[in-house]
Amino acid sequence: MEQERFKETLRRRGLKVTNQRLLVLETIADRPGQHLTAEEIYELTKEKYPEIGLATIYRTVQVLVELGVIDKVSFDDGFVRYELGDAGQDSRHHHHHAICQRCGSVISFEGDLLETLEEALYDTIGFVVTDHEVKLTGYCRECAKGKENNMEEIN
Ligand SMILES: [Zn+2]
Ligand SMILES: [Zn+2]
Ligand SMILES: [Zn+2]
């Protein structure tokens, strides 16, 4: 079923349906909430399709990003990562990321108050916002707790 949906997505965007493209999409879609690097996508795709090369993976993710089928994300750890894009879904709004600077965990969240800001930008300076990206850095609940404990020890 999933396969059919991907084929439809590719066709709708005027892309030829190829095995490689379907496999890469499947690899990413099978791991919701994960943010894979091209190398990880390569390793995982190779399990099903050993003939695939890293260069093909790079090319394929590039094409899929350009068409908005997948999104490129960066968590400032030196890697470019990919996740399934939200393009073509009901809302144009995609999720955002909160990154723990201590343990490196990435928490996805949906809501933000940016629509208000976007409207204000339009009303005041006529700027039309077409997209935004939100990346928050801080401490996850566990690490924030640890931090408090450490501070108590010091005091
Ligand atoms: Zn943490
Ligand atoms: Zn994400
Ligand atoms: Zn947002």
Side-chain angles (χ1 to χ4, degrees):
M1 325 302 103
E2 193 94 296
Q3 276 247 354
E4 279 312 307
R5 200 164 57 83
F6 292 147
K7 283 184 189 167
E8 185 52 41
T9 307
L10 292 173
R11 284 198 204 102
R12 238 194 354 249
R13 278 149 214 267
L15 269 188
K16 242 175 58 192
V17 177
T18 65
N19 252 341
Q20 289 98 313
R21 286 171 184 166
L22 284 178
L23 279 163
V24 166
L25 269 175
E26 250 179 33
T27 299
I28 299 172
D30 281 350
R31 291 161 185 83
Q34 288 191 35
H35 305 86
L36 303 169
T37 66
E39 288 75 14
E40 286 167 343
I41 295 170
Y42 168 63
E43 291 300 330
L44 292 163
T45 308
K46 218 170 55 170
E47 290 169 11
K48 285 195 214 162
Y49 192 75
E51 306 92 278
I52 205 152
L54 186 55
T56 306
I57 297 287
Y58 282 130
R59 220 165 35 233
T60 305
V61 291
Q62 185 79 28
V63 172
L64 295 174
V65 166
E66 275 164 26
L67 284 133
V69 182
I70 60 175
D71 286 335
K72 207 189 229 180
V73 283
S74 152
F75 301 140
D76 300 329
D77 57 358
F79 292 102
V80 177
R81 297 168 187 280
Y82 302 91
E83 66 184 354
L84 218 53
D86 304 81
Q89 292 186 10
D90 302 347
S91 104
R92 77 181 178 92
H93 194 253
H94 33 86
H95 69 264
H96 300 304
H97 301 111
I99 303 148
C100 178
Q101 63 198 65
R102 176 166 288 182
C103 70
S105 62
V106 176
I107 298 134
S108 302
F109 64 94
E110 292 289 337
D112 60 48
L113 302 170
L114 288 176
E115 268 149 40
T116 316
L117 176 66
E118 290 174 4
E119 273 165 33
L121 271 180
Y122 181 72
D123 290 343
T124 53
I125 58 168
F127 190 88
V128 180
V129 177
T130 56
D131 197 9
H132 65 244
E133 199 189 314
V134 178
K135 188 161 60 176
L136 302 174
T137 312
Y139 297 103
C140 72
R141 189 181 291 148
E142 288 311 307
C143 292
K145 258 191 229 152
K147 241 185 140 254
E148 273 167 29
N149 291 345
N150 283 349
M151 298 228 277
E152 276 160 23
E153 276 162 33
I154 292 164
N155 289 338

